[in-house]
Amino acid sequence: MHIKVNRQNFLSAMRIVEKAIKENKIKPVLSCVYIKIKDNKLNFCGTNLENTIKTSIDIEEVITAGEIAFHYSIIDEYLKEIKDDIITLRVEEGNVLFIETEDSTTEFAVFSTEDYPNSFDEIILNDNNLKFEMSSDELIDAFEKIIFAADSPDNIAMNCIRIESILKHLHFVATNTYRLAFLKKAISTDVENFSVSVPADAVNSIIKILKTAEVDTVRVYQDYSHLYFVYKNIIIVTKLIELRFPDYIKILTNSKYDKKMTIGVEKFTNILKRVSIFSRSNFESKYATTYKFENSKMCVSALNDIAKINEEIAVDFTGEDLKISLNVKFLLEFIQNIDKEKEIELEFMYSNSSVKVYEKDRDDYLYILMPLALRD
C-alpha cells in the first residue's frame, strides 16, 4: 500500500470506527483498525464481532493499493500533533507502516489481514429490509432518554434498548428490573413485525458518533440477526440480542395507582441534588432517600455516617399519607431529561410498590421505579 490522504479526514474516520473496538488478547487483530483501498476510497473498519463500524474517505493519490490492520491509539496521538494537511502512508515488507510528512517519517507495526473478519465486506441494503428512518438528532434524543436504565452488563437480555413498532409509533424501552424507561415516538409509516433488542454498547457508540456530527437522516435496516444504522457514509452493524425481553406493556399498565404528587421539575431537581450529597456516601444503602407525604407536605430525608438532611416543602398531593424510600440517583437520571420549566407527576400505591413518573399531561415518556426497603 502506498497512498496520500488528508490527515484530518484519516483521523476522523479512524476515531469513528475505533468506537467498536475492544482489546482482544486472544485475537490481537481485532484490537486494530482495518483499512483497505477500494474504488479510489480508503475504507475503514472496526469490530469486536458483536458490533462493527465502517466508513470511508477519499484518497488524494493511489500509488499502490493494499490493506492493513494497525493499533490506532499511538497513531491517533501522533497525527493530532501533525500540522500537514496531506500525509503519505506506505507499507513495506508487509509488517511496517511508514507515515511520511514534509519533515518526518515514522514507523508503526502492522498486522496481517488474513485473519481479519470480512463478514460485512459487501453490505447490500435496500427498501425491502428498511425498518425506519429518523433524523440523527431525534434518534440521539430517543436513545439518551432511556439508555441510563439499561445498566445491566451481567444480564444480557436487559443490557439493551428494546425497539418495537406499533401503529406508526416506535417504542424505545430499557430496564434493569429495578426501573423501566419508556419512550414513544411517531413515525411516518407503519412498520410490520419489527421488534428488536439492540445492545447497549452499540447504542452508546451511535450516540457518540452522531452527537458531534451534523444533523442528517439515519436509516435503520434489519437483515436476520443484525441491525444496520446508516448515516451518510457510516454504517454501524450490531448483532441483535435474541433473548426474551420483559413484558414492558404489562409493567406499564398493570398497577392501579391511587396517590399522586405534582411538582415543578426545577424545584424537585434542586431538592434531589441536595439530598444526594448525603445519601451517595451511605455505604449500607447508597442513594437511598426517604419521602414522607403528610398534610399536603413532602419531607425528604437522607443520611450517612456523619451527617443527615431533612427538607420539607408544600406539594400538590392527593391520596392517603405515604412514606416510601427511593433511589435518588435513579430519580435524577430520568428527571434531568425533562424541561426544567415543566411539572412532573409521581404516582404511588404502597411503600413497597412501584412508582410511576412522567411529565404532566404527557404519556409518551414514562418511568417506572421500584422502591427500596424503608429503614428507621
Side-chain angles (χ1 to χ4, degrees):
M1 175 187 288
H2 192 176
I3 58 173
K4 293 183 179 181
V5 295
N6 179 280
R7 177 189 63 86
Q8 188 56 55
N9 291 345
F10 184 91
L11 194 54
S12 297
M14 188 169 62
R15 287 175 175 173
I16 288 171
V17 301
E18 62 89 10
K19 290 177 173 61
I21 299 173
K22 296 179 180 179
E23 184 180 7
N24 192 316
K25 294 181 179 179
I26 297 175
K27 197 171 183 179
V29 73
L30 293 180
S31 303
C32 296
V33 167
Y34 168 81
I35 59 174
K36 177 181 180 179
I37 299 169
K38 184 178 179 181
D39 301 328
N40 208 42
K41 297 271 189 182
L42 186 59
N43 293 273
F44 291 72
C45 182
T47 187
N48 59 22
L49 298 182
E50 299 295 321
N51 301 316
T52 299
I53 302 176
K54 299 171 69 73
T55 190
S56 63
I57 63 172
D58 292 325
I59 302 174
E60 298 294 323
E61 181 182 356
V62 178
I63 300 167
T64 307
E67 57 184 330
I68 56 170
F70 56 85
H71 284 302
Y72 59 88
S73 56
I74 191 170
I75 292 180
D76 184 299
E77 287 189 63
Y78 172 68
L79 290 182
K80 70 182 181 182
E81 299 298 332
I82 299 299
K83 303 304 179 185
D84 299 53
D85 290 332
I86 305 300
I87 57 174
T88 298
L89 277 64
R90 176 168 53 86
V91 178
E92 290 187 357
E93 299 178 359
N95 59 1
V96 179
L97 167 65
F98 294 87
I99 298 182
E100 300 171 348
T101 67
E102 285 188 1
D103 53 10
S104 69
T105 299
T106 50
E107 301 179 28
F108 303 90
V110 296
F111 286 75
S112 168
T113 59
E114 291 181 1
D115 295 328
Y116 196 86
N118 59 0
S119 304
F120 305 104
D121 197 30
E122 296 290 341
I123 296 177
I124 300 175
L125 303 172
N126 53 55
D127 289 344
N128 292 330
N129 50 17
L130 175 66
K131 291 305 179 184
F132 69 92
E133 56 184 42
M134 184 181 293
S135 68
S136 54
D137 57 341
E138 284 187 295
L139 187 62
I140 292 171
D141 180 70
F143 282 154
E144 287 190 325
K145 281 185 173 177
I146 63 169
I147 186 64
F148 60 85
D151 57 347
S152 302
D154 296 327
N155 189 331
I156 297 174
M158 288 185 287
N159 190 34
C160 64
I161 300 296
R162 185 71 169 178
I163 307 177
E164 295 187 356
S165 61
I166 299 177
L167 299 175
K168 291 191 177 180
H169 285 85
L170 287 177
H171 290 185
F172 295 83
V173 194
T175 184
N176 65 356
T177 71
Y178 301 105
R179 53 178 171 168
L180 184 148
F182 167 84
L183 177 70
K184 180 169 66 175
K185 288 189 79 72
I187 52 176
S188 58
T189 58
D190 283 323
V191 180
E192 296 181 3
N193 302 321
F194 180 53
S195 181
V196 296
S197 294
V198 185
D201 279 353
V203 173
N204 283 318
S205 295
I206 292 166
I207 292 172
K208 289 176 183 177
I209 290 170
L210 299 182
K211 193 91 170 178
T212 57
E214 63 181 30
V215 176
D216 208 326
T217 301
V218 179
R219 292 177 173 81
V220 181
Y221 301 81
Q222 184 179 7
D223 181 23
Y224 299 106
S225 60
H226 289 87
L227 210 63
Y228 301 76
F229 294 83
V230 181
Y231 168 84
K232 294 189 173 181
N233 67 334
I234 300 171
I235 300 178
I236 303 165
V237 188
T238 181
K239 186 177 181 181
L240 296 170
I241 295 174
E242 297 182 346
L243 299 175
R244 183 179 178 183
F245 192 79
D247 185 352
Y248 69 92
I249 296 293
K250 184 177 181 180
I251 295 171
L252 290 172
T253 59
N254 186 41
S255 299
K256 303 294 183 182
Y257 300 99
D258 57 2
K259 305 171 185 65
K260 181 188 291 187
M261 179 191 73
T262 304
I263 189 171
V265 170
E266 185 173 19
K267 181 186 294 186
F268 197 34
T269 299
N270 291 337
I271 293 172
L272 296 180
K273 284 182 176 179
R274 289 194 293 270
V275 298
S276 69
I277 295 170
F278 297 80
S279 63
R280 70 190 178 200
S281 54
N282 185 323
F283 294 105
E284 186 177 357
S285 187
K286 194 171 185 180
Y287 291 112
T289 54
T290 301
Y291 305 79
K292 186 176 181 180
F293 302 94
E294 190 175 42
N295 300 324
S296 297
K297 290 184 178 180
M298 176 179 67
C299 179
V300 186
S301 60
L303 56 81
N304 55 40
D305 291 342
I306 60 172
K308 183 177 181 179
I309 184 173
N310 287 284
E311 295 218 7
E312 188 174 275
I313 185 174
V315 294
D316 179 2
F317 182 82
T318 57
E320 296 180 356
D321 294 348
L322 176 70
K323 185 177 181 181
I324 191 168
S325 180
L326 300 171
N327 184 310
V328 66
K329 177 176 178 288
F330 284 5
L331 261 179
L332 279 168
E333 286 179 328
F334 176 79
I335 295 170
Q336 69 185 5
N337 290 303
I338 299 176
D339 190 322
K340 67 179 182 179
E341 305 298 326
K342 303 292 186 178
E343 289 186 314
I344 61 166
E345 295 188 329
L346 285 77
E347 295 188 16
F348 311 89
M349 287 187 294
Y350 311 108
S351 61
N352 61 350
S353 58
S354 65
V355 179
K356 185 176 180 180
V357 191
Y358 54 93
E359 182 182 330
K360 185 179 179 181
D361 299 326
R362 290 190 63 176
D363 64 356
D364 59 345
Y365 186 36
L366 305 174
Y367 192 46
I368 304 296
L369 180 62
M370 295 303 296
L372 303 174
L374 278 168
R375 299 176 184 272
D376 295 329

